[in-house]
Amino acid sequence: DPVIDFGPAGSEDRTMEVQREIDYEMPADRLEESQPQCPFGVAGSCCDICYMGPCRVSDDDQYGQDRGVCGATPGTVVSRNLYREIAGGVSAHSHHAREAVELLEDIAEENAADYEIKDERKLRDIAEDLGLDADGDVNEVAKRVAETAKEDFAPGGGETLNWVERMPAEQREHLDEQDLLPLSSVDQQASRALAQTHQGNDSDTGHILKSALSAGVADGYAGLTMATDLQDVIFGTPTPTNATAHLGVLEEDQVNLAVHGHSPELSEMVVKAAQELEEEAYEVGAEGINLVGICCTGNELAERHGIPLAAHSLQSELAITTGAVDAMVVDIQCIWPGISDLMECHHTRLITTMDYVRMREATHIPFEEETAMEDAKEIVRQAIEGYEDRQRRQKYDVNIPDRSQEAVVGFSDTALLDVLETIDPDNPAQPIVDAIQSGQLRGIVGIVGCPNPKMREAQMSENLIENLLAADVLPVVTGCIGHIMAQGGYLDPGTVDELAGDGIRDLLYTLGDAAGLDGPLPPVLHMGSCVDNSRIGNVIRAISEGSGIPTRDLPVAASAPELIAEKAVSIGTWALSLGLPLHTAPGLRIEASDAVTQTLTEDLKDITGGHLIQDETPDGAAEKLIDALDERREPLLNA
Ligand code: BF8
């Protein structure tokens, strides 16, 4: 029997039993069927970008020849493959950011009546940071900000992206000196990656890797940061909020509507529509409309509204097999095609909304800014119909697992810096520097990304994070790791005493006190969705600019302990560009090239200040991350 562990330790819940009985193909089964996976692919040695191949090109004899048919070296092949992965991530994130830009522009021009600007302070702060006039009528400021954002998508602008202004200043200059800043258009940066890696173009490994790093910077600013910035302006900047996590949040007697994907543009409107249509749910005998969030949309809704975090992306199919989800509406990214197969034997309405994301067995309801509320109501009504259908068709048993866990989510950069400011109003960086120097805090690790079925059985995220906490390292999390943490109780302040080392426990109590809470902050701080990794970037920026310590010297690191998506690879590349140590598991596919491995794991230290750590064991990864933090902490201790 394949081990199908979608949740925390020792899962043996009803849903899983039911799921086994009816023998659905689920991620863990499919993973098992995929074995053995291609060792050439895993090592990055497979080159299939032209039709003389595929070639298997590696420095290691067992993984193939030492040159491709065209003469490409292992370094060329591996770096090209990696650059293409990063370009995939950049494209996805910059598309996401662009949606937010267009919405802000339409709001400012009064063409999107269902939306408004919720955080004017943030809008004006961003305008100022970008060097724009931040005063006057709010719509005029919004237009200036949107215009500046739009330039980052247009060819032929200035030297680099406008949004790179949001990078820590010293590191930005450091990258500029080495010609590592991206092109002025993120679209061009992404298409450049495809052109550059076309057969017979760039074959210089070092040059390809430099371009890949620049693409990582583009992802960080014209993807992540721009998306979070504008989403906060439009939907509000999160503050710590209580939310319940895991599939037990589904309610048998209510209309269950799961919102899955990434963009709050859709999910926020569905929240409003569900409130307005509650009466229609009562009319069909339901006790209400229960909106629940999946994957990053789950994080976005939880951090702004306390809406339950039902499932991470790997559990999205499991959610349907409960038989309780009346509709699942999706927008973009991380929506697994396997969901379509489940539609045949479930009453769930699957609804797609975006022009470029369609699925088998789904109803497509185009979601447009101009008709947002109308579209959202149509979606909610589909869920109500789904509920009626569920009541009629008794053969569909509802099996909601008896699992739920309380969590505190929504530690935005603003919320965290506000807390630090109550401790030191002149310099919010100081309390962090003090905690590092006093030995209370050994470092901070941003733990980001996905739940990979390859790593779930070992509970890579939970075990890595427990190791870090015990060593007085503060984990901050985003994305689906946020769900894993919420489900496991790591976002519950009640687990601080059990999980945190002495130093960090004291710090969490001090911060809790400063935040006006009755107890400590939770041992792991939830900072939002994957684009909200930008929040981690903003905190690092504040610490760096407030302390005068370059980001490449701070005891801060990043880890994607269960990486799945190309987006996670581009986020990791951005972390490397900020000069941070980056851990990934599974390891990036670079093993076939000694040159690429040497550059990323060692030589990069002298370029951006960052380096890559590959380790698929929680203990090994924790040890390497802690060593890297200690090395960076040393100068601070002697300062
Ligand atoms: O962007 S963590 S599986 S949902 S890629 Fe996707 Fe990974 Fe989840 Fe959010 Ni991020």
Side-chain angles (χ1 to χ4, degrees):
D1 260 1
V3 177
I4 305 173
D5 186 350
F6 296 94
S11 303
E12 273 303 335
D13 62 45
R14 280 192 304 153
T15 309
M16 286 170 39
E17 281 164 28
V18 169
Q19 182 251 304
R20 277 197 188 116
E21 266 167 39
I22 47 186
D23 199 31
Y24 290 127
E25 283 225 318
M26 298 291 274
D29 301 285
R30 296 190 300 255
L31 176 63
E32 194 175 76
E33 270 170 36
S34 78
Q35 302 301 321
Q37 290 184 332
C38 174
F40 305 104
V42 169
S45 64
C46 180
C47 180
D48 66 352
I49 66 168
C50 91
Y51 277 70
M52 293 187 286
C55 295
R56 293 164 299 194
V57 185
S58 176
D59 286 317
D60 184 336
D61 292 346
Q62 63 169 318
Y63 291 124
Q65 69 235 64
D66 69 348
R67 293 288 184 272
V69 176
C70 67
T73 64
T76 301
V77 169
V78 170
S79 58
R80 270 193 319 217
N81 286 346
L82 183 65
Y83 188 16
R84 285 194 164 204
E85 285 177 21
I86 294 164
V90 174
S91 302
H93 282 143
S94 59
H95 260 75
H96 181 159
R98 189 209 308 254
E99 300 281 336
V101 177
E102 285 170 359
L103 180 56
L104 181 67
E105 187 179 38
D106 283 345
I107 295 170
E109 288 175 355
E110 298 180 0
N111 290 330
D114 296 326
Y115 298 92
E116 61 189 331
I117 289 171
K118 283 241 179 78
D119 191 342
E120 199 178 314
R121 166 187 153 189
K122 179 142 187 176
L123 175 70
R124 293 187 193 277
D125 285 350
I126 294 167
E128 204 174 305
D129 205 30
L130 294 168
L132 304 171
D133 177 3
D135 298 325
D137 178 67
V138 63
N139 280 342
E140 292 306 315
V141 180
K143 278 183 209 168
R144 287 194 281 276
V145 169
E147 196 48 45
T148 306
K150 270 169 60 184
E151 284 172 10
D152 283 352
F153 296 89
E159 303 254 295
T160 186
L161 297 164
N162 294 326
W163 236 259
V164 163
E165 284 298 318
R166 310 267 294 140
M167 191 174 197
E170 203 277 346
Q171 186 70 6
R172 186 177 66 229
E173 273 163 41
H174 184 70
L175 294 188
D176 196 12
E177 279 162 16
Q178 298 173 84
D179 202 17
L180 283 172
L181 291 180
L183 301 176
S184 61
S185 152
V186 65
D187 285 349
Q188 215 171 19
Q189 182 76 52
S191 75
R192 166 76 68 95
L194 292 181
Q196 194 173 343
T197 55
H198 188 276
Q199 196 266 356
N201 276 338
D202 201 344
S203 59
D204 178 335
T205 305
H207 188 252
I208 294 167
L209 289 176
K210 276 179 78 174
S211 304
L213 267 172
S214 302
V217 180
D219 189 64
Y221 296 97
L224 312 178
T225 305
M226 189 186 286
T228 303
D229 279 351
L230 303 188
Q231 287 175 180
D232 280 357
V233 167
I234 300 168
F235 305 111
T237 303
T239 51
T241 305
N242 294 314
T244 313
H246 217 311
L247 287 170
V249 300
L250 293 166
E251 297 285 351
E252 185 155 1
D253 298 325
Q254 295 195 34
V255 174
N256 290 303
L257 171 50
V259 196
H260 181 8
H262 283 78
S263 168
E265 187 172 332
L266 168 73
S267 54
E268 287 278 336
M269 203 48 61
V270 173
V271 173
K272 284 194 195 171
Q275 284 160 354
E276 287 197 18
L277 297 184
E278 195 98 41
E279 201 55 46
E280 292 186 21
Y282 296 140
E283 279 165 19
V284 300
E287 287 179 6
I289 299 174
N290 183 35
L291 215 62
V292 301
I294 296 185
C295 84
C296 278
T297 279
N299 288 311
E300 299 278 2
L301 289 178
E303 68 182 348
R304 293 199 180 86
H305 303 285
I307 285 171
L309 289 156
H312 52 64
S313 66
L314 177 58
Q315 296 166 322
S316 54
E317 291 162 90
L318 195 60
I320 306 247
T321 68
T322 63
V325 177
D326 300 310
M328 180 181 279
V329 59
V330 306
D331 49 37
I332 51 167
Q333 300 169 18
C334 306
I335 304 148
W336 291 25
I339 294 169
S340 292
D341 284 336
L342 296 173
M343 290 304 113
E344 204 176 300
C345 45
H346 287 91
H347 77 290
T348 310
R349 268 64 170 158
L350 176 63
I351 303 161
T352 53
T353 54
M354 295 292 288
D355 194 32
Y356 68 97
V357 182
R358 305 289 180 108
M359 298 174 80
R360 277 184 298 116
E361 308 294 335
T363 305
H364 189 72
I365 300 179
F367 184 80
E368 311 284 354
E369 276 164 27
E370 303 77 29
T371 51
M373 184 47 119
E374 227 173 279
D375 302 339
K377 281 186 175 167
E378 195 181 338
I379 290 161
V380 174
R381 289 197 172 108
Q382 287 267 340
I384 295 173
E385 273 176 33
Y387 173 86
E388 287 184 276
D389 205 11
R390 166 153 65 94
Q391 300 310 310
R392 277 195 298 270
R393 298 155 83 177
Q394 292 300 331
K395 63 178 175 163
Y396 295 109
D397 287 340
V398 172
N399 283 289
I400 300 172
D402 185 16
R403 289 244 200 112
S404 63
Q405 171 66 49
E406 292 310 310
V408 183
V409 300
F411 288 91
S412 63
D413 44 333
T414 316
L416 265 184
L417 293 169
D418 283 351
V419 171
L420 293 170
E421 237 170 52
T422 60
I423 301 175
D424 188 333
D426 295 330
N427 184 3
Q430 201 55 47
I432 295 292
V433 174
D434 290 346
I436 293 168
Q437 283 177 332
S438 74
Q440 247 186 356
L441 176 65
R442 207 155 164 189
I444 301 173
V445 182
I447 304 192
V448 311
C450 327
N452 189 323
K454 290 180 174 177
M455 316 305 295
R456 272 301 53 222
E457 216 181 307
Q459 298 196 311
M460 181 72 186
S461 303
E462 294 91 325
N463 288 321
L464 169 63
I465 284 173
E466 286 187 19
N467 278 324
L468 295 176
L469 277 169
D472 290 324
V473 174
L474 177 67
V476 297
V477 299
T478 57
C480 286
I481 302 286
H483 286 264
I484 295 175
M485 289 294 101
Q487 293 176 10
Y490 300 82
L491 307 185
D492 179 344
T495 59
V496 164
D497 293 344
E498 175 198 334
L499 293 171
D502 292 347
I504 204 179
R505 190 186 54 221
D506 290 349
L507 177 66
L508 291 165
Y509 272 93
T510 307
L511 294 175
D513 193 38
L517 301 175
D518 231 0
L521 297 190
V524 174
L525 301 183
H526 172 279
M527 296 194 77
S529 64
C530 278
V531 293
D532 291 343
N533 282 311
S534 61
R535 301 190 191 284
I536 304 177
N538 288 345
V539 172
I540 299 170
R541 178 182 175 192
I543 297 174
S544 170
E545 292 179 358
S547 66
I549 304 166
T551 54
R552 61 188 176 282
D553 293 334
L554 285 172
V556 176
S559 168
E562 305 200 23
L563 172 141
I564 298 176
E566 288 173 332
K567 292 182 294 170
V569 180
S570 58
I571 293 169
T573 310
W574 167 58
L576 289 174
S577 80
L578 283 172
L580 308 186
L582 166 73
H583 161 254
T584 81
L588 297 183
R589 294 169 180 157
I590 59 171
E591 232 176 276
S593 163
D594 294 342
V596 175
T597 305
Q598 170 69 24
T599 303
L600 295 185
T601 58
E602 287 298 331
D603 302 350
L604 198 60
K605 291 177 187 166
D606 297 324
I607 304 170
T608 67
H611 71 283
L612 179 66
I613 298 167
Q614 314 245 66
D615 196 314
E616 295 188 5
T617 66
D619 294 353
E623 201 183 309
K624 288 176 184 137
L625 280 163
I626 292 167
D627 283 350
L629 294 173
D630 281 347
E631 207 176 298
R632 296 158 75 98
R633 200 165 55 114
E634 202 58 37
L636 252 172
L637 293 182
N638 300 325

